[in-house]
């Protein structure tokens, strides 16, 4: 497995995204246990202990060899900086379809559009982060797909990227820190990954 430092471009959004407030706060959707929207909350407040259940998404993209694209989160991020995680994850803006949010964030973070992306179910979890004290209470929409373009990661979001086969990923998880949600979302997404790449060993 080889890693690649992010040497892309910082985000250059020309307009304020629909989920961002003029005061700089980002809003997300609060949901009930069935995933039904029940309100909105500012992003950081939803992650303060004990956490508030909110909508999220996680993306897993494979290359043509069935290897999973991983990212190591930028050191400047307030939540889980410097740890490895799946291809892309985040939160839809209020009213934004999860699929649209996932495709948007792949482009914003990695500078590439998925060659294929499809739904792979949902998973609900509660993961405190012992390092930051923040809490992940999420109803997470999973997406799997393929990537074949040249990556151009935003260094404000991503420190480096890597493609890992299952056996390489197992070694990396044992050696380096990963996000607290990674194993949960990966295990939930494995059936979708196996459908995309039956011979890869997911």
């Amino acid at each position: 497995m080889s890693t690649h430092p992010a040497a892309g471009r910082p985000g250059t959004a020309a307009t304020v995204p629909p989920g961002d407030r003029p005061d700089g706060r980002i809003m997300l959707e609060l949901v009930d246990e069935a995933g039904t929207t029940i309100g909105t909350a500012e992003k950081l407040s939803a992650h303060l202990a004990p956490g508030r259940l909110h909508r999220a998404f996680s993306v897993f993209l494979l290359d043509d060899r069935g290897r999973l694209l991983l990212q190591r989160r930028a050191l400047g991020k307030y939540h889980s900086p410097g740890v490895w995680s799946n291809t892309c994850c985040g939160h839809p803006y209020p009213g934004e379809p999860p699929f649209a949010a996932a495709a948007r964030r792949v482009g914003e973070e990695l500078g590439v559009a998925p060659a294929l992306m499809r739904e792979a179910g949902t998973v609900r979890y509660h993961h405190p982060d012992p390092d930051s004290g923040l809490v992940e209470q999420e109803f997470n929409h999973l997406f799997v797909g393929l990537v074949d373009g040249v990556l151009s990661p935003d260094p404000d979001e991503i420190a480096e990227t890597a493609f890992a086969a299952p056996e390489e990923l197992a070694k990396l998880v044992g050696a380096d820190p990963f996000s607290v949600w990674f194993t949960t979302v990966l295990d939930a997404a494995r059936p979708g990954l196996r459908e995309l790449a039956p011979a890869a060993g997911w």
Side-chain angles (χ1 to χ4, degrees):
M1 182 190 75
S2 59
T3 61
H4 302 279
R9 72 289 171 271
T12 56
T15 59
V16 177
D20 290 5
R21 293 165 54 101
D23 58 10
R25 297 191 300 162
I26 298 173
M27 306 301 291
L28 46 72
E29 286 187 351
L30 300 179
V31 301
D32 63 18
E33 293 292 341
T36 302
T37 302
I38 58 172
T40 61
E42 190 274 328
K43 181 180 177 181
L44 179 57
S45 71
H47 291 85
L48 297 177
R52 304 175 72 185
L53 184 60
H54 58 275
R55 195 179 309 283
F57 64 81
S58 290
V59 180
F60 298 80
L61 299 181
L62 304 176
D63 68 4
D64 59 1
R65 295 165 53 185
R67 300 179 302 170
L68 177 62
L69 174 57
L70 302 171
Q71 64 158 280
R72 189 166 70 85
R73 294 164 63 85
L75 293 175
K77 293 182 75 69
Y78 77 89
H79 190 352
S80 302
V83 302
W84 287 98
S85 198
N86 48 292
T87 306
C88 181
C89 57
H91 309 91
Y93 292 131
E96 183 181 25
F99 185 95
R104 172 178 58 80
R105 284 303 290 166
V106 169
E108 290 172 353
E109 292 191 8
L110 291 156
V112 68
L116 167 74
M117 193 173 74
R118 64 191 188 199
E119 296 179 3
T122 60
V123 62
R124 193 265 196 247
Y125 51 79
H126 174 196
H127 286 309
D129 180 7
D131 293 328
S132 67
L134 300 175
V135 177
E136 291 290 0
Q137 285 262 26
E138 294 190 329
F139 187 94
N140 196 303
H141 297 255
L142 306 172
F143 299 95
V144 298
L146 303 174
V147 62
D148 60 11
V150 177
L151 303 179
S152 180
D154 178 353
D156 290 338
E157 298 287 344
I158 297 173
E160 60 184 314
T161 59
F163 284 97
E167 63 275 11
E168 294 172 322
L169 178 58
K171 293 178 182 178
L172 189 62
V173 169
D176 290 333
F178 272 72
S179 62
V180 293
W181 61 86
F182 176 75
T183 300
T184 298
V185 292
L186 174 62
D187 287 347
R190 282 184 189 275
L193 295 174
R194 286 194 287 267
E195 288 183 7
L196 280 179
W202 293 106

